[in-house]
Amino acid sequence: MELARRGFIKGMGALGAAAGISLDAVAQAAKASKPVSKGKAARVPLEVKHIKSACSICPNFCGIDATLVGGVVRTIYPDAARAEFYNHGICPKGASGMYNTYDPYRLKKPLKRTNPKKGRNEDPGWVEISWNEAFDIVAGRLSKIKAEDPRKLVWQHGQGKYLIGENYAVGFTKAFGTPNMVHRTTTCEAARHVADELTWAGGGILPDLKHSKYFLNFGSSYFEGEQASRWLDWQASQSIEKGLKIVVVEPRLSQNAAKADEWVPVRPGKDVAMLLAMAKVLIDAGTIDEPFLVDYTNAPQLVDAAGVILMDKDGKTPLVWDSVSGSAKPYVEGVKPALKGAYSVNGKPVRTAFQVLVDNLKDMTPEAAQEIADVPAATIKRLAQTFAKEARIGEFITLDGQKLRYRPSVLYTFRGLSAKEHGVQGWRTGLILNMLVGNIDAVGGLRLDGAYGRPQYFDVSVCEYPPKRADLAQSVFFPYANHHIAQTPNLVVQDPKAWGLPYNPEMQIFYGTNRPVAVPNSDQQFTGFAMTFNVVIDIVMTESAWYADIVLPDKTYLESWHWAPTRGTPESSHLAIRQPMANPYNLEHDAFTIMWELSKRLGMRDKYADECNKAWGLNTTKFQPGRDYTTREGVEVLWADKAKKEFSVALDKGFIGSKKDVKAQYLNGAEAKFKGAGKAKMKFYADQLIDTYYKVEGIAKKNNLAKVDLAKMKIAYSPLPTLQHAFPTPHLEAKAYPFYVVTHKRMYRYQSGNTVNNAILNQALGKDAATNYVQINTATAKELGVKDGDTVTIETRVGKINGEAQVVQGIRPDTIAVSYHYGQWSPGFAPMGRKGIAINQVLEHHPDLISGHNSFNDTKCKLYKA
């Protein structure tokens, strides 16, 4: 993309003037290094400082090295010292992050709503108030609720969980007494996490690209917006030079697909059919890792006619078919489990879990998958065969003297298989394919972080009813929503009794989230949002803030002290802090001090300190009762307890990192937790799902719960992925809507709350970055009479929205694609920040019934010229 010099200079000048920053400071710094002409007084050189800190615009948490000239942040570069540990480079958002801090549209004073009516076209009648008045109002409301029923408070955060650390919010809500602390994960990757938890009782995966030779990428766009982008993009680039082959399977030609060896444009939502057919190819050809399936997974366990795992007399030990004795036994030393087969136990028919999958796949041929997924049968066969061949089943490799399983072939996803109505089952299908070739925690395979770290995920869900939480997480409605359900409180608040909630939420605090805009069918969200007393803590006047009663300005990540999360990699671990660089608007508070002040006014300061100690897991250095803490002092407490180093190290370097040895990388996970007789097993067959379904069925029938659709629940809670999971609700019902809608992230606006007004992204980089488009295939556009730049209408069963067409070849003819993070309407944003369309307004709402994850990629639509 070329950028005219005149346009760039003009943009920079306008930006500097608007932000109240004299760009003469740069000139002064430059002149300070030049000889001074005789007769002229020498200018005092401006102080130049470098500060190591961490970015928090997105969950990559890149380490940064900022330059300050005369107290003004001038440049932000990646911290070179962290490259060997986790991030290589930073993105355009991070490099221009100072423009978020110096944004003239920043919130600078607390605001109070004077118009009780809430709506998009209502003038809130904002008046500025003092911090003391703001605290009085908020604490007064909270005090009344705490005395009546603390559950009536709902705390929600998005990116805020990374700004100060989620554990402070955990501590605050626990001290207050509400179960309702809700975070952001169901707008991102919750279904993938839950699939991992159900399968190996932990969360956190990455492909071992350093050693991989073949990489099947199902919709992880680490060149655009992924949680491990700054490690994955670098590692992939390094490995490509060493012979790594990459195949990207997704409907749109993303940045990743464009740089891959092969792009496979699968029909949206039909990946499951393609993966099941690939599994059949592997099984039919015998190119599977049978020893791995027997020793590490529950594939040999016996399943009865109801789909339930057969247990020993103790009622808790699974049985396998012992090939030695020809009988059903627990898997202990001396027992040789059969992987395949149908048997009879006590006169009743049983099959191994693996045999159940084989039988389920009887008709799932590549030819059948071709009809569903629109990927040629020959391609499906070839990909499966290559995946198995490159896995080198049965081979070992020696690293640092350790003999390790070697499976340099891996399948990976982020949102591609998970941001759907059947998202958990989507990634479960991918996990099963990885298990078939035995690459879990093998060199070159799929690396697990914390295998079997949370055994409770192998248990039957508690299926709470009545639900305790306003988001219905882990209730009978969403039994395995272990990561909260961001979109649900604003739906439940509209009719709490219909969901069996034994109280009515009255107040919500939103920190660092623009929740209603971030999820499908936004209008439903705003309807609920208007029914509670809302406090919003943010840096700009978002749409959520527009619906607030009290708005409290927050500091940016460049203005405050905080503990900084880091993005883990397979080879290293690290700790980091964030430290302030500037405070151009002399802001007094951030979320940390806001919570501390509210806790004090509510008489729960010591309880809050105690709950923070528990939430952070502090052992040696703790928050003490009877005193306040500044944000720096809070960071010092965490650093002292967790880093065990002088705080001067944090100030100087911003982080500490260490490398993991080979044993820690490859032998402490699946090898230690699952391999062999007498150990827990990876859930190839997720029997806790079928057991949970039967529990849900009983509760729903007993309580006559109309909100529980048992037919849909039975499909969702299958212990193995099935073809039904390739047919989300809109695909079954929206027959008159011919086009599939897919969504995606763009580097420029990923986590848009911090970047909407960023002048570099909106202006200096050009029109392409300032807005989003409706991407349409060239053949489709020709058929519809649509040209590049035309205004088109997207019509779904939810509503209509207009956007600018972008005619491209890199998308399926039956699909349109629209990126997120555009189409903001709040008058509090800069005009350049209100470009494009907000696609969530017309997406249907069909959350995954297992995890609660939003269905971002299942909607169908009509498309025509506006």
Side-chain angles (χ1 to χ4, degrees), residues 603-633:
M604 62 179 213
R605 181 180 62 178
D606 290 353
K607 174 69 171 173
Y608 176 48
D610 183 55
E611 291 294 348
C612 285
N613 290 333
K614 294 176 184 176
W616 283 106
L618 302 181
N619 296 310
T620 56
T621 306
K622 299 182 179 182
F623 291 99
Q624 298 300 313
R627 58 158 295 186
D628 292 328
Y629 285 85
T630 65
T631 51
R632 172 169 174 158
E633 289 169 338

Side-chain angles (χ1 to χ4, degrees), residues 706-744:
K707 291 284 189 179
V708 177
D709 187 329
L710 288 175
K712 285 190 173 182
M713 288 289 278
K714 191 167 187 179
I715 291 172
Y717 278 72
S718 168
L720 288 167
T722 71
L723 185 57
Q724 288 175 298
H725 300 133
F727 292 92
T729 298
H731 293 197
L732 295 171
E733 296 179 355
K735 302 295 186 181
Y737 296 79
F739 296 103
Y740 298 91
V741 181
V742 297
T743 59
H744 61 96

Side-chain angles (χ1 to χ4, degrees), residues 107-302:
L107 290 165
K108 305 175 186 71
K109 300 286 184 181
L111 301 175
K112 180 176 70 173
R113 184 184 204 94
T114 60
N115 177 8
K117 295 181 179 179
K118 295 176 183 176
R120 179 167 178 168
N121 298 315
E122 291 287 345
D123 180 357
W126 298 117
V127 295
E128 287 188 0
I129 58 176
S130 68
W131 273 104
N132 189 57
E133 183 181 354
F135 282 131
D136 280 346
I137 294 171
V138 176
R141 286 269 180 171
L142 289 173
S143 181
K144 181 175 181 294
I145 289 173
K146 192 172 190 301
E148 294 176 352
D149 187 343
R151 298 176 299 177
K152 293 181 179 180
L153 171 66
V154 179
W155 171 287
Q156 297 205 50
H157 56 237
Q159 197 62 11
K161 70 179 285 187
Y162 301 128
L163 293 172
I164 65 169
E166 183 173 70
N167 288 324
Y168 287 126
V170 172
F172 183 84
T173 51
K174 283 189 176 295
F176 187 83
T178 179
N180 293 312
M181 190 211 75
V182 184
H183 63 55
R184 53 176 280 285
T185 314
T186 49
T187 67
C188 192
E189 79 291 356
R192 196 189 76 168
H193 285 328
V194 173
D196 288 332
E197 291 159 358
L198 294 170
T199 305
W200 51 273
I205 53 171
L206 279 174
D208 189 13
L209 294 186
K210 183 176 181 179
H211 299 101
S212 297
K213 299 299 181 184
Y214 193 65
F215 182 28
L216 281 177
N217 180 355
F218 277 72
S220 165
S221 191
Y222 47 81
F223 284 127
E224 294 173 320
E226 222 262 45
Q227 282 194 349
S229 287
R230 297 290 72 77
W231 179 82
L232 272 172
D233 57 7
W234 175 83
Q235 188 63 74
S237 299
Q238 297 295 305
S239 298
I240 287 170
E241 295 180 7
K242 298 176 182 178
L244 174 69
K245 300 299 181 185
I246 300 177
V247 178
V248 172
V249 183
E250 59 183 22
R252 178 183 70 95
L253 186 68
S254 65
Q255 300 277 10
N256 286 70
K259 297 179 180 181
D261 294 277
E262 183 177 0
W263 170 45
V264 180
V266 65
R267 183 172 284 145
K270 309 307 179 187
D271 330 63
V272 171
M274 178 179 171
L275 287 168
L276 290 174
M278 290 174 67
K280 179 174 175 58
V281 171
L282 298 182
I283 293 169
D284 288 351
T287 50
I288 59 175
D289 192 338
E290 293 198 19
F292 177 86
L293 293 169
V294 169
D295 287 340
Y296 296 75
T297 83
N298 72 341
Q301 291 175 5
L302 298 175

